Each structure stands twice: as structure tokens, then as C-alpha cells.
Amino acid sequence: MITIALPKGRIADDTLKIFKTIFGLDFAFEDRKLIMQEGDFKFLYVRNQDIPTYVMGGAADIGVVGLDVLEEHRPDVLTLLDLKIGKCRVCVGVHAGTRLNYGAPSLKIATKMPNITREYFASKAVAVNIIKLYGSIELAPLIGLADAIVDVVETGATMKQNGLQPAETIMQSSAHLIASKNSFVLKRDEILNLRDKLAHTIA
Ligand code: PRP
């Protein structure tokens, strides 16, 4: 049995489709259920940012998580495969038609990714005041809480509909397969076998 943590939403659906293609089983979470067992797999349905916690603690043997989350939290896990789904980028967002004012003594940046934000602006030797939010980041510049944001952009619709635009791309992201180091020792063959099947299917 392998326990797999999946991030709620489209990445979970896309991952389960890949599993269906490989194993022919109908993998789907019922209604509000957060756990599903099918064949040799147990799936957990968790928040994207919580995936590393489940995998690091060994509650899940493997997990699927965005590269942006790995970059932000640097969890002590093994990264096994780029699944090439959930593609997005982490961008600096500013009011449409403007640019970041690098001349300002300090920039107020709202984000749910403080580490990525800090490192990015440090690499440019720009002083920033980071405002940590947990969601609806696009709201912050609109009501004057921040000068700009650092957030995930997939289609760009959320920024556009809120009068913002991506000004700079910090990194590209996609969903990656990660494994608990302990599980990798205990279930090495099972995990590698699954990794190979996934790699073959998405190729
Ligand atoms: C992300 C991000 C944006 C939106 C961007 O939030 O914070 O709000 O998606 O997507 P778009 O470019 O296609 O409009 P998401 O809903 O993934 O989740 P979270 O806030 O729960 O992390």
C-alpha cells in the first residue's frame, strides 16, 4: 500500500486521471471525503501548502505538489518527477500600466510566499516590507495595503480582473512528485516502480 497526498483542485483531478490511465481503476473522491482507498493506493486530499507536512512526517509516502511550494518551504523530501501538470508561474504583480518603482526606499509587497519574495528582492538588492497574506492577494494593492504582490499566475485572469498585471516572472512552476525519505527506504521498489509508470505515461 502506498499513501499519496494530493492537492485539492485541478492537480488532484489531473493526477487521478493519470492513475486511471495506468491502472484502469476509477479513482475519485466521493463528495466531501478526504480519503480514498483503491487497489494498492490510499489517496489523501489536502491543501497544496500542507502536502510537504504530510510527506515529511511520513503520513503520506509520496505527494504531488507545486514546485513553487517546494521552493517556498524547502521541505526535507525527495523530488522524484516533474508531472508537467499544474503549470503556472510566480510573478510580481503591479497596477496595470505601471512598473515596480525601484527608486522607492522600500517596497510593500503582499504575498503568501514570503521566502520566495525575500530571496528575489534580496538578489536585486531592493529593500522590501513583506506583508504575509493567506489568500485574495490581488486585493492588497487595490486598497493600498501594498505597492505590489508576488503570487501565482496561471491564466492571468485574477490579476487582470483586479486591474493588475504580471510585471516580472520569478519562477516557472509545475506539479512534482515527492517522496518521504523514510518511505523511500522502506518502499523503494514500489515507489520507483510507480514513478517509472507515471514518467512513461506523461512522456
Ligand atoms: C492562485 C493565485 C491567484 C490565482 C491565479 O490562487 O493566488 O489568486 O490562483 O490564477 P489565474 O492566473 O488563473 O487567475 P489559488 O486559487 O490557486 O489558491 P490558493 O489561494 O488557495 O493557494
Side-chain angles (χ1 to χ4, degrees):
M1 176 74 67
I2 297 186
T3 302
I4 306 164
L6 295 179
K8 283 185 173 183
R10 237 199 43 223
I11 293 179
D13 297 342
D14 289 350
T15 307
L16 292 174
K17 272 185 212 149
I18 301 173
F19 271 80
K20 192 173 178 179
T21 306
I22 299 172
F23 299 100
L25 292 168
D26 195 15
F27 297 104
F29 285 94
E30 277 171 47
D31 196 25
R32 299 293 169 99
K33 281 206 165 179
L34 303 174
I35 190 160
M36 179 232 315
Q37 199 168 321
E38 197 70 64
D40 292 332
F41 304 107
K42 189 188 281 176
F43 293 96
L44 313 178
Y45 201 42
V46 309
R47 277 295 298 262
N48 195 27
Q49 292 89 341
D50 291 334
I51 298 271
T53 307
Y54 280 82
V55 175
M56 259 195 309
D61 298 311
I62 60 175
V64 174
V65 67
L67 191 60
D68 54 320
V69 175
L70 295 177
E71 187 67 23
E72 177 64 26
H73 298 287
R74 302 267 165 93
D76 189 20
V77 295
L78 300 169
T79 302
L80 301 179
L81 181 69
D82 179 358
L83 291 166
K84 305 206 167 103
I85 56 175
K87 286 186 183 171
C88 59
R89 52 197 177 117
V90 177
C91 291
V92 180
V94 296
H95 290 282
T98 71
R99 285 190 203 170
L100 258 190
N101 177 13
Y102 281 114
S106 173
L107 291 168
K108 273 195 286 180
I109 311 285
T111 187
K112 57 186 169 197
M113 296 176 284
N115 295 327
I116 290 175
T117 302
R118 195 175 302 109
E119 280 172 29
Y120 179 71
F121 286 102
S123 75
K124 291 179 161 283
V126 171
V128 285
N129 174 9
I130 295 173
I131 298 158
K132 170 83 164 83
L133 297 175
Y134 292 89
S136 302
I137 318 294
E138 292 84 357
L139 189 57
L142 304 186
I143 44 104
L145 181 65
D147 300 313
I149 62 172
V150 166
D151 202 8
V152 168
V153 175
E154 194 181 336
T155 61
T158 310
M159 279 204 192
K160 195 168 181 197
Q161 286 179 27
N162 290 291
L164 304 177
Q165 70 183 27
E168 294 166 27
T169 297
I170 299 179
M171 65 174 289
Q172 303 284 342
S173 179
S174 57
H176 281 59
L177 187 71
I178 58 171
S180 139
K181 286 186 168 173
N182 272 344
S183 298
F184 196 71
V185 172
L186 297 170
K187 303 182 181 180
R188 189 190 166 89
D189 290 348
E190 269 176 279
I191 291 173
L192 284 179
N193 187 14
L194 177 60
R195 196 263 326 251
D196 291 348
K197 285 193 167 109
L198 289 167
H200 181 75
T201 307
I202 63 173

